[in-house]
Amino acid sequence: MASRHRGRRLALQALYALEMNPGTTAAQAVAQGLAELEAPEERDEFAVALAEGAWGARRELDRTIEGASRRWKIGRMDRVDVSLLRLATHELLATPETPAAVILDEAVELAKEFGTPESSAFVNGILDRIARDARPGEVGGKGG
């Protein structure tokens, strides 16, 4: 069984691929990621569900992200950061059974792996604001 971290990683790669080539599907993009991992016979349902959910809701997610970003519009953000913010925002909103802290920690780790040197702090700041609004009982303190 695939780990959730690997699923999130594949979903991030799929969202980035969809951003660059919107003619493909989330399942195809995840399959390509698995092929690159030399596991083309596998299917990661978790990754496909995350990628499809985030891609399908990207317009709504983008509004949420822009509302929390304060100074940045989606068009000015790094494409990897946007893909990661969509993924994590979707997971925060659509999977209440996954603790917000887990989603934020995973997003920061993926930002360190795939983003720029500033990505992890940028992603963490925006997702923290989104989590405080989406899950006020789970994420303490006032937004800053």
Side-chain angles (χ1 to χ4, degrees), residues 7-132:
R8 288 183 183 96
R9 188 175 195 269
L10 286 165
L12 170 61
Q13 291 171 313
L15 287 172
Y16 183 80
L18 288 165
E19 183 75 22
M20 296 299 135
N21 183 15
T24 190
T25 68
Q28 290 169 328
V30 169
Q32 177 62 36
L34 285 166
E36 290 171 9
L37 291 174
E38 297 182 4
E41 70 286 349
E42 291 185 36
R43 180 164 164 88
D44 192 317
E45 298 298 332
F46 178 67
V48 172
L50 284 179
E52 285 178 345
W55 187 250
R58 67 188 176 281
R59 286 175 182 70
E60 296 83 12
L61 296 172
D62 288 356
R63 284 193 288 275
T64 300
I65 293 163
E66 283 184 347
S69 70
R70 297 190 175 147
R71 294 185 193 108
W72 291 86
K73 297 291 183 199
I74 292 292
R76 291 186 57 218
M77 294 179 192
D78 178 83
R79 297 290 82 190
V80 171
D81 292 351
V82 170
S83 297
L84 184 50
L85 287 166
R86 286 174 177 161
L87 173 66
T89 300
H90 169 69
E91 194 172 3
L92 279 167
L93 299 175
T95 62
E97 67 278 6
T98 304
V102 169
I103 296 167
L104 270 64
D105 287 347
E106 286 281 325
V108 168
E109 289 306 312
L110 289 169
K112 288 176 182 177
E113 183 176 353
F114 291 103
T116 67
E118 298 82 25
S119 291
S120 61
F122 179 72
V123 165
N124 187 57
I126 292 173
L127 290 176
D128 185 64
R129 286 185 209 106
I130 292 169
R132 288 172 193 271

Side-chain angles (χ1 to χ4, degrees), residues 129-143:
R129 286 185 209 106
I130 292 169
R132 288 172 193 271
D133 287 342
R135 299 188 184 186
E138 236 184 292
V139 181
K142 294 189 178 198

